[in-house]
Amino acid sequence: MSSNVGLSTPRGSGTSGYVQRNLSHLRPRDATAPYPKDLDSIKHRQRQPDKDILEHDRKREVEVKVFELRDRLEDEEVDEEEIEVQTEALRRKLLANGHGERTSAKGLKPHQVHELAEAKIKESEKLRKALGINKDYEEGSHWRKQEERLRGGNSADDSTHAKP
């Protein structure tokens, strides 16, 4: 036996002396909470989309359209030079028009997280403008201003009603 684990000798114990780990033992959890207690870190921050990934996806959509045109022209047996001219013209047109930009999250799949994040930001911006909310608005600022006004009013009332 090693490390003072188990029986000093298995003789007479009716066992082989093999020691196993207790897999049903639950260790106590960490004393710290898994989430932060301060309110500033709990505040919601919207996920920012990665611009490089979005640009790559837009270019990929353009190239898919170009390849579909190339495939169709090859099936029609158009000569190679004409195919190159038409595909390059389509590529320039789609890139100039900003093909692939979306304004809503409809039609996006759950794995398109960067596109969903971009659509959510645009939707939030549109709603903010519709409701007339400032960009620098902080949640709960109205209540803080109201509390400050009440505190300021109470201290002025206390000084006028104080007995000499």
Side-chain angles (χ1 to χ4, degrees), residues 10-22:
R11 290 175 102 194
S13 67
T15 66
S16 66
Y18 182 74
V19 179
Q20 286 185 332
R21 199 173 113 209
N22 183 359

Side-chain angles (χ1 to χ4, degrees), residues 12 117 121:
I121 288 172

Side-chain angles (χ1 to χ4, degrees), residues 60-161:
R60 186 174 183 276
E61 287 181 25
V62 167
E63 290 302 318
V64 166
K65 299 278 187 200
V66 169
F67 186 76
E68 288 172 354
L69 175 67
R70 174 179 284 280
D71 193 39
R72 188 167 33 90
L73 291 174
E74 286 175 353
D75 288 344
E76 295 172 2
E77 297 180 1
V78 178
D79 65 327
E80 190 64 33
E81 292 176 11
E82 182 62 26
I83 291 174
E84 287 298 323
V85 170
Q86 287 188 21
T87 56
E88 190 58 37
L90 178 67
R91 181 179 292 119
R92 272 191 254 114
K93 182 183 116 184
L94 292 176
L95 288 174
N97 292 342
H99 180 76
E101 292 187 22
R102 295 189 174 131
T103 57
S104 73
K106 291 181 180 173
L108 292 175
K109 296 182 174 58
H111 69 272
Q112 295 175 307
V113 292
H114 296 279
E115 289 87 348
L116 286 170
E118 182 182 43
K120 183 65 177 174
I121 288 172
K122 286 180 181 177
E123 180 185 346
S124 297
E125 186 68 22
K126 190 175 174 183
L127 181 64
R128 185 188 63 74
K129 285 181 181 177
L131 296 175
I133 299 172
N134 292 336
K135 272 192 170 187
D136 59 342
Y137 174 76
E138 188 176 324
E139 189 174 329
S141 62
H142 172 75
W143 299 112
R144 275 187 242 117
K145 289 177 185 174
Q146 194 171 12
E147 285 178 9
E148 290 171 6
R149 215 176 305 128
L150 288 174
R151 285 187 199 136
N154 288 342
S155 63
D157 290 341
D158 293 342
S159 63
T160 57
H161 295 295

Side-chain angles (χ1 to χ4, degrees), residues 44-55:
H44 174 70
R45 285 189 302 264
Q46 204 164 27
R47 180 180 181 157
Q48 296 297 317
D50 188 352
K51 300 292 183 196
D52 294 334
I53 293 176
L54 292 174
E55 185 62 28

